Amino acid sequence: VDSTLVQKLRAGGYIIFIRHSITNWSERDTQEGDFSNRAAQRNLSEAGRAQAAGVGKAIAALKIPIAKVLSSPMWRARDTAQLAFGAYDTTGYLFFKGPQLREARVKMLSTAPPPGKNMIFVGHQDPLLPIVPGLKRDQVREGDALIIQPLGGGKFRVIVQVTPADLARLAGLPVPAEAPGAPAAASNTP
């Protein structure tokens, strides 16, 4: 991950899929699909809140143009989007599973953003596992991002996986410490 990636992102045309920031693993999702009840969901930890804000600061410092931010309706994803980017819209396509929704996600990832802009999707790893070849569970750690190049016609290509630390380094900002208790990554690239 180097300045070449920043140049590409500044030119636009990419999807930046961010897995929600670090969560409190002592909490569990107890009412799946009830998006109004924050207490029934695993939420961001304080480290996750700081991580999300840091990701937003790095992307802003890198002057990466954003067309729109879409988030899963789960609070951990919404909070990540809010802390990192401020304005966002929610969509169930970044949460719910099933063949029809899988097709909709493929379309989202294969559709180019407006010229000179990038799209940000904030969500979860599970909806990506069946549609990103070779992607393994917990390979994309909480707070990590996949840079995706839409190719049209239901096709896309993952360019690289980046961490919050990668973004901070590229932006010349302090590099965040690893969060204790975060699941380890299986690999650094999909």
Side-chain angles (χ1 to χ4, degrees), residues 1-71:
V1 177
D2 61 21
S3 61
T4 304
L5 175 64
V6 176
Q7 292 170 357
K8 288 179 181 178
L9 291 172
R10 284 181 181 157
Y14 294 89
I15 308 292
I16 303 170
F17 178 91
I18 300 172
R19 184 176 176 194
H20 60 77
S21 290
I22 301 164
T23 57
N24 182 346
W25 280 86
S26 67
E27 298 174 348
R28 288 284 164 233
D29 296 329
T30 57
Q31 297 174 359
E32 188 161 323
D34 180 0
F35 303 120
S36 64
N37 188 357
R38 181 188 288 271
Q41 298 178 27
R42 192 174 82 238
N43 291 286
L44 295 185
S45 64
E46 285 306 312
R49 295 179 73 75
Q51 182 187 63
V55 165
K57 285 178 188 166
I59 289 175
L62 292 167
K63 296 180 175 46
I64 295 171
I66 307 301
K68 190 171 191 175
V69 177
L70 294 176
S71 173

Side-chain angles (χ1 to χ4, degrees), residues 134-150:
L135 186 64
K136 300 196 178 11
R137 174 163 293 290
D138 293 328
Q139 180 176 330
V140 179
R141 296 177 65 177
E142 293 182 325
D144 284 3
L146 296 178
I147 310 303
I148 299 169
Q149 180 181 27

Side-chain angles (χ1 to χ4, degrees), residues 96-162:
F96 291 109
K97 300 173 194 130
Q100 290 178 329
L101 295 168
R102 187 176 308 131
E103 289 175 28
R105 276 190 292 280
V106 168
K107 184 177 180 182
M108 288 172 70
L109 295 175
S110 64
T111 302
K117 302 279 187 176
N118 301 285
M119 291 289 292
I120 303 272
F121 298 157
V122 182
H124 316 271
Q125 66 177 337
D126 287 351
L128 289 185
L129 292 173
I131 63 172
V132 176
L135 186 64
K136 300 196 178 11
R137 174 163 293 290
D138 293 328
Q139 180 176 330
V140 179
R141 296 177 65 177
E142 293 182 325
D144 284 3
L146 296 178
I147 310 303
I148 299 169
Q149 180 181 27
L151 301 173
K155 300 200 181 306
F156 60 88
R157 183 167 65 105
V158 175
I159 302 297
V160 68
Q161 179 173 338
V162 296

